[in-house]
Amino acid sequence: MFRNQDSSANNQVLRPGIFFDRDGVLNVDSEYLFEIDKFVWTDGAIEAVKAVNDAGYFAFVVTNQSGVARGFYEETDVHVLHDWMASQLALRGARIDAFEYCPFHPHGVIERYRCASARRKPQPGMILDLLNRFPVDAARSFVVGDKPSDMDAAHAAGLSGHLFQGGNLRDFITPLLANE
């Protein structure tokens, strides 16, 4: 499932993109996060997204949200949180070009979400969908995640992956942008 912030990207020059995992990268990972009042940005996360924007890259979020399949929250809760994140970023002059999430899980308790999905990381479906919808220069793009499944999804999509293990996200991203 996806939420586009700007789908007018057709017919533009190819630009690199950064595919951020959400929980553990942009925000502190608290299991099955969907409540705004429990959301905590990772140190330097907003500044990292702004640096990506300022460098001319697309900024995307690709996040597994099995809490939907597990019955912990609804898809509307995911949309509300992502809309709130977008508004908080906008206050600082930053933006996410599209939020992608996968609500499916093969062991979900909600039947309509109980399935294997090519969109669920480590599968590359969310990334491939974004590559197809936006004029992304894949050769200069990469994934930033905190789990091996993020790296596996990156490689399956033909992108490089960078494992974020905490600290300041802006400090982590800045040298990666300079290398491109």
Side-chain angles (χ1 to χ4, degrees), residues 88-149:
Q88 295 301 299
L89 287 163
L91 292 173
R92 301 281 292 278
R95 77 179 178 291
I96 296 294
D97 293 289
F99 288 87
E100 290 278 335
Y101 69 97
C102 179
F104 305 107
H105 192 279
H107 304 295
V109 299
I110 308 297
E111 186 174 344
R112 71 177 183 263
Y113 297 111
R114 185 178 38 234
C115 65
S117 173
R119 293 177 51 78
R120 181 174 173 72
K121 294 180 286 179
Q123 300 302 315
M126 289 186 284
I127 297 167
L128 294 175
D129 287 348
L130 288 164
L131 290 172
N132 286 325
R133 285 200 335 266
F134 288 82
V136 176
D137 180 351
R140 295 174 43 216
S141 300
F142 56 89
V143 173
V144 176
D146 66 326
K147 294 185 174 74
S149 60

Side-chain angles (χ1 to χ4, degrees), residues 20 26 41-55 88-89 92-94 168-171 173-174 177:
F20 290 103
L26 291 176
W41 290 102
T42 301
D43 289 340
I46 294 173
E47 296 83 359
V49 173
K50 179 131 177 47
V52 165
N53 300 152
D54 291 348
Q88 295 301 299
L89 287 163
R92 301 281 292 278
N168 185 293
L169 186 59
R170 186 208 48 202
D171 292 347
I173 285 288
T174 301
L177 297 173

